[in-house]
Amino acid sequence: MMKDSTAVGKRRREGASKMNWIVTAVAVCVFVPSAHCQSNSVAWCFNEPGCNQTMWPIFAAKYCNGSRQSPINIVSASAQVNSNLTAFTFLNYNSKSTMKTIKNTGDTVKVDFASGVRISGGDLSEDYDSLQFHLHWGNGTSVPGSEHTVDGKRYPMELHIVNSKASYNRNTTLAVEDSTGLAALGFLIEEMSGNATGQPASWRTLSSYLTNISNRGDIVTMVPGISLDDLLTGVDRTKYYRYLGSLTTPLCHEAVVWTVFKETIKVSKDVIDLFSKTVHFSNSTSPFMINVYRDIQPAQRVTTQAASSTSKACYSLALMALSLVLGSS
Ligand SMILES: *[C@@H]1O[C@H](CO)[C@@H](O)[C@H](O)[C@H]1NC(C)=O
Ligand SMILES: *[C@@H]1O[C@H](CO)[C@@H](O)[C@H](O)[C@H]1NC(C)=O
Ligand SMILES: *[C@@H]1O[C@H](CO)[C@@H](O)[C@H](O)[C@H]1NC(C)=O
Ligand SMILES: *[C@@H]1O[C@H](CO)[C@@H](O)[C@H](O)[C@H]1NC(C)=O
Ligand SMILES: *[C@@H]1O[C@H](CO)[C@@H](O)[C@H](O)[C@H]1NC(C)=O
Ligand SMILES: *[C@@H]1O[C@H](CO)[C@@H](O)[C@H](O)[C@H]1NC(C)=O
Ligand SMILES: *[C@@H]1O[C@H](CO)[C@@H](O)[C@H](O)[C@H]1NC(C)=O
Ligand SMILES: *[C@@H]1O[C@H](CO)[C@@H](O)[C@H](O)[C@H]1NC(C)=O
Ligand SMILES: [Zn+2]
């Protein structure tokens, strides 16, 4: 143990920008949070030996070494059909003034929402308040960094909207103690085809804030202008995978109902690349924030909607053709 504290002391003297691994007496994260809060008492990281993810199951063993950990690789052919997985209702996702602040947390870029943003449906047991979204990425479009993979494919980025059971009144300390206290919506982000730049406009606007939050702890107020619907453009939100998992960062609480949408958000290469060359883990003398995602964890049972809509569409086209033939005879 003395050995450990010596190692920690050395690391700190070396000027590590964060309190690597040290357990502090005071809660670092008041509202525990997200799939990304520097939860409670453990300082963790993605990029330095001693606090990176190989250490999480050791210093945060209670949950990070658990048996329903996220993210996972989703095997599409193994997803079981569950017809209870109906559409969601998204409250205030069309409002252009719900995004309040954008922050460099040192581990991600996070946008906090005003109150009144909510989801329901989707086989969730009750309404959930949408609290924030944050992103995961690798190194631009060349090194993909989504957390979930589908049939082994990793995408450039992943957006997570974190929601907490409405009955907990946004108290995430309570929510993480409930096995379904949080609902996370995962959106895979893919490079837009063609040579477009600065697209979609909503993502260009979002990325325009990055230069103002280049250092850890930087936070700026967002001006009204883009909605969550704008950012989630092009995704059919009735098609998704569902499984029970965890927060993907310490303390890795196993409290998350995961929804990973099948369709991707298409973002132009230049905008994706901005994330890995604008914000830093600490300050301008520290590395750019890259590879901010957790590795794949053991598989879980995954469910999805019944019929694929393409077979349904083919079926109704066939019926239409048939009725045209019959009608004309
Ligand atoms: C940047 O962070 C390093 C490591 O935490 C620190 O030593 C240095 O003083 C910081 N530089 C500035 C300009 O804040
Ligand atoms: C993560 O930490 C482990 C053990 O401390 C170390 O062996 C490994 O090189 C580190 N990886 C990165 C990417 O920092
Ligand atoms: C993690 O759990 C496994 C099996 O449950 C156990 O063998 C292993 O020792 C645990 N690791 C840590 C660091 O607690
Ligand atoms: C669908 O919901 C019903 C009613 O809550 C439940 O009895 C049934 O087990 C659910 N089906 C699946 C596949 O989860
Ligand atoms: C990330 O990508 C940039 C641009 O392609 C490259 O210069 C840099 O070396 C990469 N960083 C790492 C750590 O691989
Ligand atoms: C959340 O609930 C816990 C337990 O009831 C309480 O101790 C804590 O103060 C609450 N946190 C907030 C931010 O209200
Ligand atoms: C993209 O740009 C290249 C080089 O300018 C051009 O050859 C190609 O046709 C463009 N592709 C599309 C889809 O516009
Ligand atoms: C970034 O900060 C500059 C200088 O403070 C300010 O003029 C600009 O409006 C800010 N940009 C955004 C997108 O907030
Ligand atoms: Zn996340």
Side-chain angles (χ1 to χ4, degrees), residues 139 142 290-291:
N139 190 8
S142 55
I290 58 168
N291 298 333

Side-chain angles (χ1 to χ4, degrees), residues 39-270:
S39 293
N40 296 337
S41 42
V42 162
W44 52 272
C45 71
F46 282 111
N47 63 319
E48 294 171 54
C51 57
N52 73 20
Q53 60 182 296
T54 64
M55 304 303 290
W56 302 354
I58 298 167
F59 68 64
K62 183 175 179 191
Y63 306 114
C64 297
N65 195 33
S67 56
R68 63 170 254 203
Q69 289 290 291
S70 294
I72 60 168
N73 174 48
I74 294 166
V75 179
S76 59
S78 304
Q80 295 164 7
V81 169
N82 179 355
S83 51
N84 291 349
L85 298 176
T86 53
F88 291 94
T89 298
F90 296 90
L91 185 64
N92 284 327
Y93 274 53
N94 61 356
S95 163
K96 295 193 186 286
S97 55
T98 52
M99 297 179 210
K100 289 306 196 192
T101 56
I102 184 165
K103 182 178 185 181
N104 174 341
T105 67
D107 309 290
T108 187
V109 166
K110 177 171 74 103
V111 170
D112 279 319
F113 306 152
S115 59
V117 188
R118 248 180 202 204
I119 58 170
S120 57
D123 204 27
L124 297 174
S125 59
E126 61 172 86
D127 288 8
Y128 283 67
D129 287 315
S130 302
L131 306 180
Q132 51 108 326
F133 77 74
H134 59 266
L135 295 148
H136 299 271
W137 63 88
N139 190 8
T141 43
S142 55
V143 180
S146 67
E147 295 213 296
H148 290 93
T149 58
V150 179
D151 297 330
K153 180 180 165 69
R154 192 180 295 284
Y155 289 81
M157 301 182 75
E158 184 167 337
L159 182 153
H160 287 161
I161 301 178
V162 179
N163 308 271
S164 169
K165 266 184 187 169
S167 53
Y168 293 131
N169 201 21
R170 306 170 74 87
N171 184 329
T172 49
T173 306
L174 292 173
V176 296
E177 298 304 328
D178 174 341
S179 66
T180 58
L182 297 173
L185 307 181
F187 292 87
L188 301 164
I189 295 165
E190 194 168 22
E191 184 181 337
M192 194 178 270
S193 61
N195 297 329
T197 58
Q199 295 296 320
S202 54
W203 281 81
R204 180 174 67 232
T205 302
L206 179 73
S207 64
S208 72
Y209 287 96
L210 296 177
T211 52
N212 285 15
I213 55 164
S214 62
N215 297 338
R216 176 188 176 88
D218 287 350
I219 180 167
V220 298
T221 301
M222 295 178 72
V223 292
I226 54 172
S227 67
L228 284 162
D229 284 342
D230 292 337
L231 290 176
L232 308 179
T233 180
V235 177
D236 177 349
R237 283 177 246 159
T238 66
K239 296 179 193 158
Y240 56 86
Y241 299 106
R242 166 63 49 80
Y243 77 96
L244 297 177
S246 74
L247 298 180
T248 65
T249 56
L251 299 175
C252 312
H253 284 91
E254 296 184 330
V256 184
V257 179
W258 272 101
T259 299
V260 177
F261 293 90
K262 294 184 178 180
E263 295 184 0
T264 60
I265 303 173
K266 310 289 193 298
V267 176
S268 62
K269 177 182 187 331
D270 61 318

